[in-house]
Amino acid sequence: DSGVTQTPKHLITATGQRVTLRCSPRSGDLSVYWYQQSLDQGLQFLIQYYNGEERAKGNILERFSAQQFPDLHSELNLSSLELGDSALYFCASSVAQAPGSYEQYFGPGTRLTVT
Amino acid sequence: AQTVTQSQPEMSVQEAETVTLSCTYDTSESDYYLFWYKQPPSRQMILVIRQEAYKQQNATENRFSVNFQKAAKSFSLKISDSQLGDAAMYFCAYRSGGGADGLTFGKGTHLIIQP
């Protein structure tokens, strides 16, 4: 158990809908990262937050957005869902941000299925 | 942009034998970190080993060791005394030393352990 929690574990929804994925980082970790794992694209970095502020953006679509709240939990919002958004979404956390070889600890993921 | 290449989609090894997984990367940065993650059938992402680019000494964690060749931009993972529990997808990942903090992953190598 990495100490990172994600809810829900599974989510099934229809095209065009909007969903929210939730992540709670390890106690003491200030950075939260979101990743998408799909058969087509592999593992892709989406976005990073550090202590409530956006720090880095990866291959995140405009239909997707995220935020980190004062208690450091984070939410990833996916809207106007398409079949291709079906994937495993991981949240990871680390104690700090670059520089430094801080480990990123991954949560168990949320499996999103868009039908 | 950085890229990570894992040229072996699948590898097979006999239990108790040694196997080496290959990874190459492309970057123009001098400060960066490299990681190997393991993803068993449970889909949990588990950090196996990390290497700081500024360190010449290869990292070792119990039965896992790396061969880091900075000039060749190569970062292979050696697993000694392979065990059935080592069966998993293995991902090589890159992270910049500063600025953007997200991990760039390779496409993974599926490791099969033959009893």
Side-chain angles (χ1 to χ4, degrees), chain A residues 13-113:
Chain A
T13 189
T15 54
Q17 295 299 304
R18 172 189 169 95
V19 297
T20 297
L21 312 184
R22 183 188 168 102
C23 167
S24 292
R26 293 186 323 151
S27 177
D29 284 1
L30 299 177
S31 270
V32 169
Y33 311 78
W34 286 98
Y35 293 87
Q36 179 196 60
Q37 185 176 29
S38 65
L39 286 175
D40 292 343
Q41 303 294 329
L43 266 162
Q44 288 195 107
F45 165 65
L46 296 178
I47 197 164
Q48 178 205 359
Y49 277 80
Y50 175 75
N51 204 19
E53 293 188 8
E54 182 185 303
R55 281 303 187 194
K57 265 187 173 179
N59 297 322
I60 189 166
L61 300 172
E62 285 191 9
R63 301 183 285 109
F64 295 1
S65 64
Q67 54 184 325
Q68 186 179 26
F69 294 86
D71 67 352
L72 300 178
H73 91 272
S74 178
E75 292 180 358
L76 179 67
N77 301 296
L78 315 177
S79 61
S80 303
L81 285 167
E82 302 174 1
L83 294 177
D85 297 327
S86 295
L88 186 56
Y89 290 85
F90 284 109
C91 169
S93 74
S94 72
V95 64
Q97 59 171 349
S101 61
Y102 302 109
E103 293 182 21
Q104 293 186 20
Y105 295 88
F106 282 73
T110 292
R111 168 73 67 186
L112 173 67
T113 303

Side-chain angles (χ1 to χ4, degrees), chain A residues 33 35 37 100 103 106, chain B residues 39 44 50 52 95 101 103:
Chain A
Y33 311 78
Y35 293 87
Q37 185 176 29
E103 293 182 21
F106 282 73
Chain B
Q39 187 178 41
Q44 178 73 48
R50 68 165 177 256
E52 293 86 347
R95 206 201 82 204
D101 210 13
L103 296 168

Side-chain angles (χ1 to χ4, degrees), chain B residues 41-60:
Chain B
S42 66
R43 308 297 268 174
Q44 178 73 48
M45 295 291 290
I46 302 165
L47 178 65
V48 175
I49 199 166
R50 68 165 177 256
Q51 175 79 43
E52 293 86 347
Y54 61 83
K55 288 187 177 178
Q56 292 189 337
Q57 187 172 6
N58 289 325
T60 299

